[in-house]
Amino acid sequence: MIPFLLVSLWRCFVCLLLIIGIALPLRAEEAHLPLDQQTAAVSQVVLGILSFARWPQPVEVLQLCVVGPTEYADGLLQGAVQSDGLPVQARRLALDDPRLVSDCQALYLGVLSEAEHRGLFTRIAGQAVLSISEHDPECSVGTMFCLKTGGPRVGFAVNLDSVARSGVRVHPNVLKLGRRGSAP
């Protein structure tokens, strides 16, 4: 009886080690990037999206306006250049700032209530503005691109209806990537 118990305990111990050995690598893959790496990855994805967008009127410096509290916008606010060489000037603006309608070709949205979100998109309706949101898991209410920052990579979802209504042309390959939830 004792040898049977020992063999059973040994098997349980081996199974436990196997489960732990499999679970640990899975957890490592699902782990979040450190904040500075996540911020850099978000900047790379945002600049990638912007570089594959075209506005009705050519711009010499792309004006990216950051609205609301954000986690990952710091890299963008330091200034950047798209892969096609177009400089991006990012700045924070208050939600009620009139320059959101007149000066911004792109919006990077942080945490906004649904009412604030709807009000903003009502104000910019008819303007050629590309919008990217940090916190819009459903990717609705006017936002064109919604970042997915919960894992080891930064990806994005795309709202094709919002893209079609925006007046901004986005390369079809970026739209395909967004539908699959991958990063550019």
Side-chain angles (χ1 to χ4, degrees):
M1 177 85 166
I2 292 179
F4 176 75
L5 249 151
L6 288 174
V7 169
S8 294
L9 285 172
W10 178 251
R11 285 183 182 161
C12 288
F13 180 72
V14 170
C15 287
L16 182 62
L17 286 177
L18 285 173
I19 291 170
I20 291 172
I22 291 170
L24 287 177
L26 288 177
R27 280 192 181 152
E29 289 174 12
E30 294 173 358
H32 296 279
L33 294 172
L35 183 60
D36 60 335
Q37 290 178 10
Q38 190 86 349
T39 298
V42 164
S43 294
Q44 183 179 7
V45 169
V46 169
L47 292 172
I49 291 170
L50 294 175
S51 68
F52 285 96
R54 298 294 173 259
W55 282 260
Q57 302 298 322
V59 294
E60 292 181 23
V61 176
L62 182 73
Q63 299 296 321
L64 173 65
C65 299
V66 178
V67 181
T70 59
E71 279 185 85
Y72 308 113
D74 289 348
L76 295 166
L77 290 165
Q78 295 172 4
V81 176
Q82 296 176 24
S83 60
D84 62 2
L86 182 66
V88 176
Q89 183 180 30
R91 60 184 168 187
R92 281 196 183 276
L93 292 179
L95 185 60
D96 60 353
D97 194 313
R99 293 177 293 173
L100 285 173
V101 178
S102 60
D103 295 354
C104 304
Q105 286 91 33
L107 296 176
Y108 183 92
L109 306 174
V111 178
L112 299 176
S113 71
E114 188 174 328
E116 291 171 327
H117 215 100
R118 286 186 192 281
L120 174 60
F121 284 103
T122 298
R123 286 179 46 214
I124 65 168
Q127 302 293 319
V129 177
L130 185 144
S131 57
I132 301 172
S133 180
E134 268 189 6
H135 298 284
D136 188 359
E138 291 83 34
C139 207
S140 59
V141 193
T143 304
M144 295 170 62
F145 296 95
C146 301
L147 298 176
K148 295 181 178 182
T149 57
R153 294 180 4 178
V154 173
F156 62 91
V158 63
N159 182 325
L160 294 174
D161 185 51
S162 294
V163 171
R165 293 175 189 219
S166 71
V168 178
R169 291 189 333 235
V170 180
H171 195 282
N173 288 344
V174 174
L175 302 178
K176 287 179 190 174
L177 283 173
R179 285 204 320 242
R180 290 195 312 253
S182 302

